[in-house]
């Protein structure tokens, strides 16, 4: 059984159709990256999958269940967590308070403490900053808080929108290493990423989205070696 199947999705804003027939499939445990030019509908595709935007045509199936019409809140209950590109932290709350927001549905204190420690083991830099306002952290640390909060409910699928956006070049590799560690630990990862080459190097498979449709799919290696992908989407 596939983890995620999105078939021929159409969605958008108002009268504008942004995603126009896009599809993808994911196996359990995979890391899949969506690449494509600016304005291709990549972020809109993610928002449609998690229920932030209404599916106008097509279907979304997650772990064998049709979730086409669910809301974003319900997607969390199914085991999906979406970390947006912007507004993904509460800057006026501390690191610990952000993690508590991520674990909003947990009622067991011992379980909460266990998950907080798991986040701090994944992101050691945050342990000593647990009482620091998140808005006072560096961009890389803020992204760690956003992902840490997303992991607090132990999702089966972590969905990331441009996780390396705005990071200093020396932090980009560190961020991808953390994402790979999360994936290696058993959490499936679906992401949109502007650093297409680096993301495909880490990914099991990739999807090329253009004009709202999935034009090409293949393993990360296959897409990296494709002359068409290199010329049109990787800038070489």
């Amino acid at each position: 059984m596939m983890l995620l199947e999105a078939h021929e999705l159409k969605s958008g804003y108002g009268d504008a159709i942004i995603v126009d027939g896009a599809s993808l499939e994911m196996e359990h445990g995979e890391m899949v990256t969506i690449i494509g030019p600016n304005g291709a509908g990549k972020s809109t595709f993610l928002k449609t999958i998690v229920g932030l935007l209404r599916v106008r045509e097509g279907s979304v199936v997650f772990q064998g269940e049709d979730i086409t019409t669910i809301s974003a809140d319900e997607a969390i209950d199914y085991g999906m967590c979406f970390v947006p590109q912007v507004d993904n932290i509460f800057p006026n709350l501390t690191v610990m308070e952000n993690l508590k927001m991520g674990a909003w549905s947990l009622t067991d204190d011992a379980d909460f403490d266990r998950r907080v420690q798991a986040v701090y083991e994944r992101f050691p830099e945050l342990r000593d900053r647990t009482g620091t306002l998140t808005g006072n952290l560096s961009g890389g640390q803020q992204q760690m808080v956003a992902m840490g909060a997303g992991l607090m409910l132990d999702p089966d699928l972590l969905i990331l929108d441009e996780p390396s956006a705005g990071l200093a070049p020396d932090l980009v590799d560190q961020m991808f290493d953390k994402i790979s560690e999360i994936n290696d630990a058993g959490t499936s990862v679906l992401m949109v990423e502007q650093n297409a080459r680096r993301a495909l190097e880490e990914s099991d498979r990739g999807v090329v989205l253009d004009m709202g449709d999935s034009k090409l799919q293949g393993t990360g290696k296959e897409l990296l070696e494709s002359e068409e992908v290199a010329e049109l989407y990787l800038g070489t």
Side-chain angles (χ1 to χ4, degrees):
M1 180 177 63
M2 288 282 181
L3 173 69
L4 174 66
E5 301 168 84
H7 293 299
E8 299 291 328
L9 294 189
K10 285 192 176 185
S11 68
Y13 305 89
D15 294 331
I17 297 295
I18 307 299
V19 173
D20 193 6
S23 300
L24 69 78
E25 293 184 343
M26 279 188 72
E27 300 275 3
H28 289 265
E30 280 193 317
M31 183 189 299
V32 176
T33 295
I34 302 170
I35 67 170
N38 291 336
K42 303 184 296 296
S43 296
T44 303
F45 191 29
L46 294 186
K47 292 175 183 178
T48 305
I49 289 171
V50 300
L52 286 167
L53 292 173
R54 179 175 63 86
V55 176
R56 303 188 188 189
E57 290 185 21
S59 64
V60 181
V61 176
F62 187 66
Q63 303 200 96
E65 293 193 54
D66 190 319
I67 63 167
T68 306
T69 61
I70 67 169
S71 66
D73 289 345
E74 292 171 318
I76 295 172
D77 294 333
Y78 277 89
M80 305 169 73
C81 181
F82 175 57
V83 179
Q85 178 182 350
V86 297
D87 298 327
N88 56 16
I89 59 165
F90 296 94
N92 294 322
L93 299 182
T94 66
V95 169
M96 176 61 77
E97 289 167 340
N98 270 268
L99 297 182
K100 287 180 179 178
M101 294 297 289
W104 60 274
S105 65
L106 286 184
T107 56
D108 186 297
D109 289 342
D111 192 20
F112 172 80
D113 291 340
R114 177 184 63 80
R115 296 189 189 200
V116 167
Q117 293 310 311
V119 169
Y120 286 159
E121 288 174 13
R122 180 72 61 207
F123 304 107
E125 290 182 49
L126 300 181
R127 189 185 298 275
D128 294 335
R129 295 169 174 80
T130 187
T132 302
L133 291 179
T134 309
N136 293 335
L137 300 179
S138 69
Q141 291 165 347
Q142 290 180 3
Q143 192 69 317
M144 291 177 191
V145 173
M147 288 198 290
L151 293 170
M152 285 296 293
L153 291 180
D154 196 18
D156 298 306
L157 176 61
L158 181 65
I159 302 177
L160 305 172
D161 190 3
E162 302 280 13
S164 77
L167 297 186
D170 60 330
L171 294 178
V172 171
D173 282 341
Q174 180 182 353
M175 183 57 60
F176 278 113
D177 288 344
K178 292 297 184 183
I179 295 170
S180 292
E181 289 175 10
I182 292 167
N183 182 238
D184 290 341
T187 302
S188 302
V189 176
L190 172 64
M191 64 178 166
V192 161
E193 178 50 49
Q194 60 179 356
N195 194 328
R197 184 176 299 279
R198 186 68 174 82
L200 290 175
E201 288 173 353
E202 298 289 342
S203 297
D204 297 293
R205 291 189 304 107
V207 177
V208 177
L209 203 70
D210 201 350
M211 301 293 291
D213 196 5
S214 42
K215 303 295 187 182
L216 294 168
Q217 300 194 36
T219 66
K221 185 174 185 293
E222 287 170 344
L223 294 183
L224 282 170
E225 293 177 350
S226 165
E227 292 184 5
E228 180 182 3
V229 171
E231 181 179 353
L232 296 178
Y233 306 109
L234 300 183
T236 59

